[in-house]
């Protein structure tokens, strides 16, 4: 459904990805299906943090927005089925979501009702909800969105980060 409200996508190059400049951990590459010239491809890290910021003036006022991490995984991905947390904050109000997963844990593990899992988009990429926020007339400032997994210090690999997308709810 078209709303006439602004959507915005921060590409991987516009994000802070912990250790992204370390060639042992991440590499930049091109994927034809991406709308961006480069995506960030995880080689190997033991903790994962991805952050994005956007000025609220880029968005439509009097709207509730939802932020999504847009990604893919490689066929040899590992360590991405551990619990993570996300945060979206704007104007001093923050929304934290625990029990977020980039991949579903094995079937033998017990899932909780509030667990958050990714879903496949029409364009073939995966997305995971980071959180939502209200942007009202007269508000100003930056919206900050974070995905992080820093507790479970197991090696992770095979994540392809396209960016963070903000869409009106």
């Amino acid at each position: 459904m078209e709303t006439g409200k602004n959507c915005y996508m921060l590409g991987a190059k516009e994000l802070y990805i912990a250790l992204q400049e370390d060639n042992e951990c991440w590499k930049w590459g091109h994927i034809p299906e991406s709308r961006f010239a480069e995506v960030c491809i995880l080689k190997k890290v033991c903790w994962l943090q991805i952050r994005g910021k956007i000025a609220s003036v880029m968005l439509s006022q009097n709207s509730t927005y939802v932020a999504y991490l847009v990604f893919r995984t490689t066929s040899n991905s590992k360590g991405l089925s551990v619990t993570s947390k996300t945060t979206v904050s704007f104007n001093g109000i923050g929304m934290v979501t625990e029990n977020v997963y980039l991949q579903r844990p094995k079937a033998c593990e017990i899932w909780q009702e509030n667990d958050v899992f990714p879903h496949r988009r029409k364009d073939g990429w995966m997305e995971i909800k980071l959180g939502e926020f209200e942007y009202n007339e007269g508000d100003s400032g930056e919206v900050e969105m974070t995905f992080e997994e820093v507790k479970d210090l197991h090696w992770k690999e095979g994540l392809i980060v396209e960016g963070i997308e903000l869409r009106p709810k």
Side-chain angles (χ1 to χ4, degrees), residues 143-159:
V143 179
E144 185 168 349
M145 302 137 299
T146 305
F147 175 92
E148 61 185 339
E149 191 289 301
V150 296
K151 291 185 219 168
D152 187 3
L153 299 179
H154 291 92
W155 291 106
K156 296 151 199 49
E157 55 188 87
L159 176 69

Side-chain angles (χ1 to χ4, degrees), residues 32-143:
E33 300 83 14
S34 177
R35 67 185 89 182
F36 297 102
E38 288 187 294
V39 294
C40 201
I41 304 166
L42 174 60
K43 290 167 78 174
K44 194 174 249 191
V45 295
C46 63
W47 64 269
L48 184 59
Q49 185 181 53
I50 302 168
R51 277 197 326 256
K53 289 183 183 182
I54 184 172
S56 60
V57 296
M58 302 297 292
L59 306 173
S60 299
Q61 292 183 350
N62 301 318
S63 302
T64 299
Y65 273 89
V66 182
Y68 297 92
L69 177 65
V70 180
F71 67 96
R72 285 188 176 191
T73 57
T74 63
S75 59
N76 62 343
S77 64
K78 293 181 184 145
L80 302 177
S81 60
V82 295
T83 185
S84 304
K85 80 173 187 177
T86 63
T87 307
V88 173
S89 59
F90 178 58
N91 278 346
I93 300 170
M95 174 183 186
V96 176
T97 305
E98 304 277 348
N99 300 326
V100 178
Y101 296 86
L102 293 174
Q103 290 182 326
R104 283 187 179 269
K106 293 180 181 164
C108 62
E109 295 185 32
I110 299 171
W111 299 334
Q112 297 178 19
E113 189 175 319
N114 62 341
D115 289 349
V116 179
F117 300 106
H119 71 276
R120 187 166 307 282
R121 299 157 43 112
K122 290 179 184 176
D123 62 6
W125 290 85
M126 301 294 288
E127 70 180 14
I128 189 96
K129 181 178 177 181
L130 300 177
E132 57 187 72
F133 62 96
E134 299 261 337
Y135 176 42
N136 296 306
E137 193 170 336
D139 288 347
S140 63
E142 283 189 321
V143 179

